[in-house]
Amino acid sequence: MLPNLFGTARTKEILQVNPTVLPQREEANEVKIFVYEYDAHSVHEYGAESVADCLHCKEGKYISWINIDGLRKNEVETICNDYGIHPLVIEDILSINQRPKFDEVDGILFCLLNMLYFNEQKKSIETEQISIILGPKYVLSFQEDSERDVFNPLRHRLKINNAKIRQRGADYLCYSLLDLIVDNYFIVMEKVSEQIEIVEEEVIRNANTRSLARINQLRKELIVLKRNFAPVRDLLNGIIRSESELLDEATTKYYKDVYDHIIQAYDLSENYRDIISSMQDLYINNVNLRMNEVMKVMAIVTCLLAPATVIGGIFGMNFETIPYIHNRWGFFLAVGAMLLIPLWMIRLFRKRGWF
């Protein structure tokens, strides 16, 4: 019960990353390919049966976004080889547990990061690796999960006539993808913040072992946030500093805006860590306070029983001559002393403010 309570399996899931061991990615059961080709006047959206159906986008007159949901080695290698993507980039796309990063390779810009989701049932943060390749007039995005992402607002904007994204190049499309991913980080953080508030009230009202377990769980989820926010900050900083011809100077300010957002998210995650640490200190203080209250009551009871113990011990000694042993009032005097002395002690303790 205790390993499940304190989430030791979650600890192993978060921290078990060995770069010396080549991880094996399982082939996706289903691959979904969606293509968006657009310019300032029109947009074409369609689903491709295979990667071969969207290879023509490379030479088209439109700006194209090819989004592949579900990764299979053959499909990834086929489209990447046709677009002239370096083998090292292909290896990164197919890898797992990668640290978010940014690379400039053979005339393309490569971004690898994680989309974050909050699992309401498990109260934990789930990650999905996404790879984004920016080329001259195209953007390729590779997602692990074919059932979910955070790009629906972008799909909606592409369908709007005179939308800003339709007036700009592929670099603005890449910015839009990164912006939605980072904005979704704040939604996840709001969920974490709600859990922190719930646990904080629980610790204040009735701290117990389960409260400590939930604090421990939240600390692990904040590790997930930190492991994503700090590298994404470096990723965006690398894009801003890049002198690639693929990035329009007018678009750089938009990347700076996303950079400001990730800095804010990182600062909030640090604040959450401080709150969790304070909450753990509060839990320990509450436990110590409760123990002190118990020890205080036990000490008072011991003090109150001490006179009765002494009197009973004196008059219970096995001697022939004991005061009042033959007095008819001796027993009542002894019992009265046993009662009156503790009552006097209670009054004295209250007067001195000991309880």
Side-chain angles (χ1 to χ4, degrees):
M1 183 65 183
L2 286 178
N4 294 331
L5 180 64
F6 285 92
T8 53
R10 179 62 172 160
T11 304
K12 184 177 180 180
E13 178 184 347
I14 294 174
L15 300 180
Q16 189 180 25
V17 178
N18 187 352
T20 63
V21 178
L22 183 64
Q24 298 295 325
R25 174 185 292 278
E26 295 183 2
E27 296 282 293
N29 295 325
E30 181 182 13
V31 177
K32 296 181 180 179
I33 304 173
F34 295 95
V35 180
Y36 294 82
E37 294 182 290
Y38 65 90
D39 59 14
H41 307 289
S42 63
V43 59
H44 306 282
E45 172 191 359
Y46 57 91
E49 294 294 332
S50 66
V51 293
D53 297 334
C54 52
L55 298 181
H56 67 280
C57 299
K58 178 182 177 182
E59 306 297 336
K61 63 178 182 178
Y62 298 105
I63 295 172
S64 58
W65 172 29
I66 303 174
N67 184 55
I68 300 176
D69 292 327
L71 300 183
R72 290 178 183 166
K73 184 177 180 181
N74 184 48
E75 278 85 350
V76 173
E77 290 181 344
T78 298
I79 190 169
C80 287
N81 289 332
D82 185 78
Y83 277 76
I85 307 301
H86 195 278
L88 288 177
V89 174
I90 301 176
E91 182 179 332
D92 285 336
I93 295 172
L94 294 173
S95 63
I96 60 176
N97 297 327
Q98 280 283 331
R99 185 180 188 271
K101 63 179 180 178
F102 165 76
D103 284 325
E104 296 184 50
V105 184
D106 292 349
I108 59 99
L109 302 184
F110 174 64
C111 302
L112 185 148
L113 65 163
N114 289 319
M115 288 187 285
L116 302 182
Y117 310 97
F118 188 80
N119 190 315
E120 296 285 354
Q121 295 181 345
K122 297 181 180 179
K123 308 299 180 185
S124 62
I125 299 173
E126 298 178 349
T127 63
E128 178 190 353
Q129 181 173 295
I130 178 170
S131 302
I132 301 174
I133 297 175
L134 171 61
K137 294 187 66 176
Y138 64 86
V139 171
L140 307 179
S141 56
F142 301 87
Q143 302 181 46
E144 295 178 323
D145 192 344
S146 61
E147 300 298 328
R148 60 181 181 179
D149 63 27
V150 299
F151 299 140
N152 284 334
L154 175 59
R155 298 184 179 100
H156 177 70
R157 292 202 300 268
L158 285 172
K159 298 176 183 178
I160 300 175
N161 293 329
N162 299 322
K164 182 183 293 186
I165 190 172
R166 296 262 296 272
Q167 313 299 320
R168 297 181 177 270
D171 56 340
Y172 190 87
L173 174 61
C174 180
Y175 147 75
S176 300
L177 295 173
L178 295 174
D179 183 51
L180 287 172
I181 293 172
V182 172
D183 285 348
N184 190 66
Y185 289 169
F186 288 93
I187 297 177
V188 174
M189 293 180 70
E190 287 180 3
K191 299 293 185 180
V192 175
S193 177
E194 292 174 2
Q195 295 302 312
I196 291 176
E197 291 177 3
I198 293 173
V199 175
E200 189 173 18
E201 290 184 6
E202 183 178 328
V203 169
I204 294 174
R205 291 181 179 180
N206 184 26
N208 51 38
T209 305
R210 186 166 296 276
S211 301
L212 180 61
R214 296 192 66 183
I215 292 173
N216 190 49
Q217 179 187 13
L218 287 172
R219 288 173 64 93
K220 295 173 185 176
E221 302 312 317
L222 292 179
I223 291 175
V224 177
L225 293 180
K226 183 177 181 181
R227 287 182 59 181
N228 284 278
F229 290 174
V232 171
R233 177 189 59 188
D234 298 336
L235 180 153
L236 290 164
N237 190 39
I239 294 178
I240 294 171
R241 294 175 178 272
S242 173
E243 298 180 356
S244 173
E245 297 180 354
L246 297 174
L247 297 173
D248 189 351
E249 185 176 353
T251 311
T252 304
K253 60 184 178 182
Y254 294 101
Y255 285 100
K256 288 181 179 179
D257 182 65
V258 184
Y259 179 79
D260 292 338
H261 289 175
I262 196 63
I263 290 293
Q264 183 180 358
Y266 183 82
D267 291 341
L268 282 175
S269 68
E270 290 296 309
N271 293 339
Y272 289 166
R273 290 183 64 193
D274 294 339
I275 293 173
I276 290 297
S277 298
S278 300
M279 199 184 304
Q280 189 171 21
D281 293 339
L282 178 61
Y283 170 83
I284 295 174
N285 292 336
N286 284 344
V287 171
N288 292 336
L289 180 61
R290 189 179 305 159
M291 182 179 297
N292 290 339
E293 291 293 332
V294 172
M295 296 301 296
K296 182 178 179 180
V297 172
M298 295 178 64
I300 291 174
V301 171
T302 302
C303 291
L304 295 179
L305 293 179
T309 303
V310 172
I311 295 173
I314 291 174
F315 284 91
M317 291 188 294
N318 191 19
F319 292 110
E320 292 183 359
T321 303
I322 296 178
Y324 303 105
I325 191 172
H326 297 296
N327 191 308
R328 59 182 295 185
W329 301 105
F331 171 77
F332 299 103
L333 291 173
V335 172
M338 292 180 185
L339 295 176
L340 291 175
I341 293 176
L343 291 175
W344 173 80
M345 293 175 65
I346 291 175
R347 182 179 178 183
L348 179 64
F349 293 166
R350 289 179 63 88
K351 184 177 181 181
R352 295 191 175 185
W354 291 357
F355 69 91

